[in-house]
């Protein structure tokens, strides 16, 4: 089954404690991206990657890091999380930036 | 900077009452306009991609159209199961995806 898998689904952490949200796709897609979704602000792109070892900043990259060492994986790293990073996060993959994107189930992160 | 504005923010319809959702956009070099459906607590689900003005696509009760400044999602004879948030997004020359705020649709039986 074609899918994008994110883990964990839910996470509560404390300010400053480094964390990683994993994302994996099984469709051999070139393009992967991370979004955060906040009430009243909609979905905003954090980072995207057009291919292995190629990553670019989206609209809201501050406080986040990503890496793309393998085609199927695109982890999101918060090195020093802060409460304003409390949000619902989605990973997505597609053949390219302008084709149908498949989204993961979401990760609800709370930073206290 | 690419921008997407969706209206209305929320829409209540009776079952069978057709209507349209609007997506206005400004983008440098449109590479694609997308419509997604999102149910509560779930990731967006792809509906349509439109690439050039004048293009139309249909799927069951939904029809998406595109002009140079806006896109419409027409819903014909909606059913309660069509209740969801509908998201519009554009991909511009920078290869980034920019989403609108969404329209929350509620269809009453």
């Amino acid at each position: 089954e074609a899918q994008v898998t994110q883990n964990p689904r839910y996470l509560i952490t404390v300010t400053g404690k480094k964390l990683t949200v994993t994302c994996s796709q099984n469709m051999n897609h070139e393009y992967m991206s991370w979004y955060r979704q906040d009430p009243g602000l909609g979905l905003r792109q954090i980072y995207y990657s057009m291919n292995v070892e190629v990553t670019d900043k989206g609209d809201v990259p501050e406080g986040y890091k990503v890496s793309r060492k393998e085609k199927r994986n695109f982890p999101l790293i918060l090195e020093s999380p802060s409460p304003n990073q409390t949000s619902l996060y989605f990973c997505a993959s597609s053949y390219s930036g302008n084709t149908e994107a498949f989204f993961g189930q979401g990760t609800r992160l709370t930073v206290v | 900077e690419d921008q997407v504005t969706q209206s209305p923010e929320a829409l209540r319809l009776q079952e069978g009452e057709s209507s349209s959702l609007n997506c206005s956009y400004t983008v440098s070099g449109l590479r694609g306009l997308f419509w997604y459906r999102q149910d509560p607590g779930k990731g967006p689900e792809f509906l349509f991609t439109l690439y050039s003005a004048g293009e139309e696509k249909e799927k069951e009760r939904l029809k998406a159209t595109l002009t140079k400044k806006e896109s419409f999602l027409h819903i014909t004879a909606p059913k309660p199961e069509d209740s969801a948030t509908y998201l519009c997004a554009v991909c511009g020359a920078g290869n980034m995806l920019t989403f609108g705020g969404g329209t929350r649709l509620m269809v009453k039986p």
Side-chain angles (χ1 to χ4, degrees), chain A residues 9 31 35 37 42-43 45 48 50 57-59 88 90 96-101 103-105 108, chain B residues 1 31-32 34 36 38 41-46 49 51 87 91 94-101:
Chain A
R9 293 288 313 278
Y31 189 100
Y35 301 85
Q37 187 171 38
L43 270 165
Q45 197 169 37
Y48 63 100
M50 288 191 281
K57 295 178 181 179
D59 283 326
L88 179 59
F90 289 102
S96 68
N98 68 336
T99 57
E100 170 188 358
F103 283 79
Q105 324 94 298
R108 189 167 291 281
Chain B
E1 184 182 333
R31 298 185 66 231
F34 305 86
Y36 288 87
Q38 187 175 25
K42 294 191 175 181
E45 181 183 328
F46 173 79
T49 309
Y51 291 104
L87 302 171
C91 178
N95 222 25
M96 270 179 47
L97 208 57
T98 301
F99 279 84

Side-chain angles (χ1 to χ4, degrees), chain A residues 25 28-32 48-55 67-74:
Chain A
Q25 52 97 1
N28 202 36
H29 284 161
E30 303 281 346
Y31 189 100
M32 296 186 74
Y48 63 100
S49 169
M50 288 191 281
N51 212 327
V52 174
E53 302 293 359
V54 179
T55 62
S67 70
R68 187 95 181 271
K69 294 178 180 161
E70 303 168 281
K71 198 172 190 178
R72 63 182 292 126
N73 296 322
F74 191 44

Side-chain angles (χ1 to χ4, degrees), chain B residues 12-63:
Chain B
R12 287 179 183 247
L13 298 174
Q14 286 296 127
E15 185 172 1
E17 180 186 2
S18 301
S19 188
S20 296
L21 281 55
N22 177 262
C23 170
S24 297
Y25 66 91
T26 56
V27 64
S28 57
L30 180 70
R31 298 185 66 231
L33 183 140
F34 305 86
W35 283 97
Y36 288 87
R37 169 191 170 127
Q38 187 175 25
D39 293 300
K42 294 191 175 181
E45 181 183 328
F46 173 79
L47 292 173
F48 303 108
T49 309
L50 302 166
Y51 291 104
S52 57
E55 192 174 356
E56 299 182 352
K57 288 193 178 171
E58 280 187 76
K59 180 181 177 181
E60 296 180 356
R61 295 177 292 282
L62 300 177
K63 179 180 177 180

